Amino acid sequence: MNTKTRTLAYRARPIPPAALRELRATDDAGRPCAPFTDEEGGAPLRCCLRLSEPGERIALVSYAPLRRWAAETWAKPGAYDEQGPVFICERCDGPGGEAQSYPFARAGALRTVRRYDAEGRIVGGRLLEIPEDTTAGYEAAFAEAFADPEVALVHVRALEYGCFHFEVHRA
């Protein structure tokens, strides 16, 4: 099946617009946002789920995705609340249109698919080496995660740096 025409069973969620407005002022570590010109391009932007273009204005900010999700759901992640670096555009309105594939999917790349329960506690996870059919690889990993009724939320992170890539909620 052609991955360009598939309907995705799960939706990769970018950083929400309200959080972006806050991060563009002060990040989740309390530091002011400091945009710069990305001369080379290729930075994974978590606001619009695409790679940056050469010459684009972006920022590297500290983001606490579980903390922000917990604030909306009244979960209490405790020690599982972590923050880390993410790239965001200086300005954008989020992803355009309906996604046809999962972002930052490169065959052979290693990702962690970390599972959280409704309280924000880790209830498992797995290593995913993204296969040639990147969409099928992610779909299988998400189906496996959500087969556990305790799983409310999944975070996808890069194994190399631990960077948050995107989250997927139970449908």
Side-chain angles (χ1 to χ4, degrees), residues 100-112:
Q100 298 291 312
S101 62
Y102 293 103
F104 321 123
R106 186 182 76 255
L110 299 174
R111 301 288 181 256
T112 60

Side-chain angles (χ1 to χ4, degrees), residues 77-165:
Y80 295 111
D81 174 25
E82 59 187 319
Q83 63 189 29
V86 296
F87 289 102
I88 61 173
C89 298
E90 186 174 41
R91 292 180 188 89
C92 82
D93 296 323
E98 195 63 30
Q100 298 291 312
S101 62
Y102 293 103
F104 321 123
R106 186 182 76 255
L110 299 174
R111 301 288 181 256
T112 60
V113 179
R114 197 176 296 167
R115 306 165 188 177
Y116 297 90
D117 69 10
E119 285 299 313
R121 293 182 301 259
I122 292 176
V123 291
R126 72 179 293 248
L127 174 65
L128 172 66
E129 180 174 353
I130 301 175
E132 285 298 319
D133 186 342
T134 60
T135 299
Y138 271 122
E139 298 264 313
F142 298 146
E144 176 187 295
F146 290 116
D148 179 346
E150 280 193 77
V151 175
L153 173 72
V154 170
H155 282 178
V156 174
R157 294 177 178 266
L159 184 66
E160 303 88 349
Y161 300 104
C163 298
F164 171 83
H165 276 221

Side-chain angles (χ1 to χ4, degrees), residues 42-59:
L45 300 169
R46 282 31 169 257
C47 49
C48 50
L49 301 179
R50 64 175 179 83
L51 298 177
S52 64
E53 298 290 331
E56 187 170 5
R57 298 277 299 167
I58 64 173

